[in-house]
Amino acid sequence: MPVPIIIDCDPGHDDAIAIMLAAGDPSIDLLAITTVAGNQTVEKTTLNARRVCTVAGITGVPLAAGCTQPLVQPQLVADDVHGKSGLDGPQFAEPAVDVVPEHAVDLMYRILTRHPEPVTLVPTAPLTNVALLLTRYPDSAARIREIVLMGGSTERGNRTPAAEFNIYADPEAADIVFRSGVPITMCGLNVTHQALATPEVVARLEGLGTELGRTCAQLMTFYGSTYRRLWGFASPPLHDPVAVARVIDPAIVHCVDASVAVELHGHHTRGATVVDLHGYLGRPVNARVAVTLERELFWDRVIGAVDALGKRTT
Ligand code: RIB
Ligand code: CA
């Protein structure tokens, strides 16, 4: 049976592929897409989500815009990584998909309370919307099967040496989520850096022979140029689809149980995820932490989903 999910995102090149994987893979029932301020302003991440749904032919999936800024600190964007639009590279047609007239948090709650079974949340962005959902609607927690998020790291960060962007952009929101008691799977940089969109991957996307395949190849080409310039990566890591892949088939992403705490007060470490992999501190386990990616299985699912969507739209 397909797993019902809501993806909460900030497109974002890797979010774009995560949306396509969620919409194109038969193991997922994509109930809604929600957007939040993160890689860019929520206006831009929402326009980008509309663009992705249009180019991928994703229709009939409610799309709602969410929080315009973090819970406490000023908004941070990642225009150095994703460009001024938040999805630089390809030229997109005028979006044919529009948003629904309700806030993302209200859409999430409406779906969670009406869906016949608990729903998996897949946040691939700062956790502002999810934290607000749990705070505004505490009864929503019982309707969440699990939260499978892209964020944090068992090792170094990327926005700072200590902190990964999604957590660093709204540490208070992340702290609320990790302390919520809802089952959490954390897909951090330590595992998403195993998902490198190499030239072979880009060639497979181009080789699909569809407009969507070409668009994805163009997204990876731009994204690769920024990762090369900023961090010296030969190929860019496709972070967000790893969280979706974990939902599709847990065998693709191996996890271990650990306690995870979010640093809120460190002068140099704010936004770090402190992952006690060996239980030194004796704190209760509050997360499954992803550690290994089955690369071939992962890319086969990603490219298979883009192929399935591309064949419907060409
Ligand atoms: O650190 C990587 C994460 O930050 C990804 O979700 C990327 O899209 C950005 O939001
Ligand atoms: Ca993202």
Side-chain angles (χ1 to χ4, degrees):
M1 278 294 279
V3 179
I5 79 165
I6 296 172
I7 189 166
D8 185 64
C9 55
D10 61 340
H13 292 69
D14 51 336
D15 302 77
I17 307 296
I19 291 170
M20 294 178 204
L21 178 57
D25 192 286
S27 302
I28 297 283
D29 179 9
L30 183 56
L31 300 179
I33 301 168
T34 54
T35 59
V36 69
N39 283 322
Q40 264 297 351
T41 63
V42 71
E43 292 76 14
K44 290 184 178 180
T45 61
T46 305
L47 173 57
N48 290 334
R50 296 174 57 210
R51 284 170 168 160
V52 171
C53 288
T54 301
V55 73
I58 300 169
T59 55
V61 178
L63 168 59
C67 294
T68 60
Q69 63 181 43
L71 296 183
V72 175
Q73 71 184 27
Q75 188 197 356
L76 178 75
V77 294
D79 50 359
D80 54 342
V81 181
H82 299 278
K84 200 169 171 317
S85 75
L87 206 57
D88 282 17
Q91 289 302 314
F92 290 96
E94 196 54 33
V97 171
D98 212 339
V99 293
V100 297
E102 65 188 306
H103 191 281
V105 171
D106 297 329
L107 175 64
M108 283 176 171
Y109 183 63
R110 179 160 63 84
I111 290 174
L112 285 170
T113 47
R114 292 186 186 173
H115 200 71
E117 62 179 293
V119 173
T120 297
L121 299 189
V122 183
T124 62
L127 291 161
T128 318
N129 284 345
V130 179
L132 206 54
L133 168 74
L134 294 169
T135 309
R136 169 78 181 79
Y137 301 112
D139 59 315
S140 63
R143 300 300 302 158
I144 301 171
R145 179 179 177 189
E146 67 171 325
I147 296 174
V148 183
L149 63 91
M150 190 281 137
S153 174
T154 62
E155 293 152 12
R156 295 173 63 83
N158 56 5
R159 201 68 218 181
T160 76
E164 178 278 327
F165 178 81
N166 286 341
I167 310 299
Y168 184 70
D170 195 343
E172 280 74 18
D175 181 50
I176 289 170
V177 172
F178 276 97
R179 289 191 298 105
S180 67
V182 174
I184 290 173
T185 297
M186 177 187 119
C187 301
L189 297 177
N190 54 291
V191 73
T192 64
H193 282 176
Q194 299 170 40
L196 298 177
T198 62
E200 294 72 30
V201 167
V202 176
R204 285 178 70 182
L205 288 166
E206 282 165 341
L208 293 176
T210 63
E211 184 202 345
L212 188 60
R214 285 187 291 278
T215 300
C216 290
Q218 290 165 4
L219 286 169
M220 292 304 98
T221 301
F222 176 87
Y223 188 48
S225 70
T226 62
Y227 255 86
R228 215 172 359 264
R229 186 181 76 250
L230 294 170
W231 290 289
F233 275 59
S235 301
L238 215 52
H239 307 283
D240 297 335
V242 174
V244 177
R246 169 70 188 183
V247 179
I248 288 170
D249 178 358
I252 299 177
V253 186
H254 302 291
C255 295
V256 296
D257 290 344
S259 72
V260 179
V262 178
E263 176 56 58
L264 298 177
H265 309 294
H267 182 67
H268 302 289
T269 56
R270 177 169 159 81
T273 45
V274 182
V275 183
D276 187 1
L277 287 172
H278 305 288
Y280 291 135
L281 302 174
R283 287 182 188 145
V285 165
N286 62 335
R288 283 196 188 112
V289 176
V291 289
T292 309
L293 178 72
E294 295 295 338
R295 290 171 176 81
E296 273 191 49
L297 292 177
F298 171 75
W299 287 115
D300 285 349
R301 293 312 274 254
V302 169
I303 291 165
V306 173
D307 190 27
L309 293 173
K311 284 184 172 134
R312 286 187 223 156
T313 51
T314 298

